[in-house]
Amino acid sequence: MSNQTLLVRFLLQGFSEYPHLWLPLFGCFFSLYTMALMGNILIIAIITCSPNLHSPMYFFLFNLAIMDIICTSTVLPKVLVGLALKENTISFQGCMTQLFFIVWTVSSELLLLAVMAYDRYVAICRPLHYRTLMRPWVCGALAIAVWVICVLNSSINTGLMAQLYFCGSNVITHFFCEIPSLLLLSCSPTHVNSIMTILADAFYGFINFALTLVSYGCIISSILHIRSSEGKRRAFSTCSSHLIVVSVSYSAVFCAYINLGSNYSPERSKVAGLLYTMLSPTLNPLIYTLRNKEVKAALEKVLHFCRN
């Protein structure tokens, strides 16, 4: 059974139900991929080259940009090939590899957003202790913890998926390999996989999200106690970009992964997948660049240096 499973090739349905739209879709996705790559590489370059951005907030933004690049590069090249060739097959090993990186990067982004919310909480609610609580080694330990926890989560889910036996239809009703659509194709019992998925949903979708909300509840409460309107505006401007990114990321993931089994909707899952694998990595650099004065100032310096 194991040898037969290794020989399975899956067919990614992608957007094959809209053959007349392949060219507009190809142009749109290629543009999104290019913007996501350029935007996140630019964020990484700006933070690396600007000493005034060597602070905890931008250190975590640096990590977020890396995750966005990995996430979108795991999915979009395969989507573009499928649109160009009108057929998109993927080997079992390739599917498991794609699944690993998708679960790893998406879960890392959610956990990293919670860490960034904690950083903003300390900066606004406990400013006198900020340098002590967010020392470089603490930030490094938090980033390493995010990567390790999410690699472990992805390894467990991917390993459990690799043990399943697939038979019958090999059509994945999505444009990449994801857990819900693969579980629907399995002929093996999927109880353990479903339990692990539910546990991951509980951790990333509820506990992690609740911690983020608590951080922002404390932040908003502290901002409301600031007397001057200028002080309120300045405090809110330091976390508004992050709050927008949190809203977009969690909306997409909730839509994609909270409803499994009989409630699974391929069309809704595709829309959610577009949000967190294409749109979110594209918008994140724009949001942080356009709404952050320090990043815009650093970008202007870099552009001025390049022109000279």
Side-chain angles (χ1 to χ4, degrees), residues 42 47 51 56 76 93 98 102 104 113 120 122 178 181 194 236 245 269 285 287 297 301-302:
L42 185 61
I47 294 174
L76 274 177
Q93 296 90 335
Q98 190 180 63
I102 286 294
W104 173 42
L113 290 175
R120 292 300 83 206
V122 176
E178 64 157 6
S181 55
S194 298
F236 184 73
V245 171
S269 189
I287 293 171
K301 289 181 180 179
V302 171

Side-chain angles (χ1 to χ4, degrees), residues 60 78 80 129 131-132 134 179 181 188 220-221 261 272:
F60 295 127
K78 189 67 177 170
L80 294 173
H129 300 88
R131 291 184 178 274
T132 303
M134 300 303 294
I179 292 176
S181 55
S188 307
I220 292 172
S221 177

Side-chain angles (χ1 to χ4, degrees), residues 141-169:
L142 287 172
I144 292 173
V146 168
W147 287 62
V148 171
I149 290 172
C150 296
V151 163
L152 181 62
N153 168 60
S154 184
S155 299
I156 292 173
N157 281 283
T158 306
L160 289 172
M161 189 67 68
Q163 299 302 313
L164 297 180
Y165 176 60
F166 295 90
C167 60
S169 174

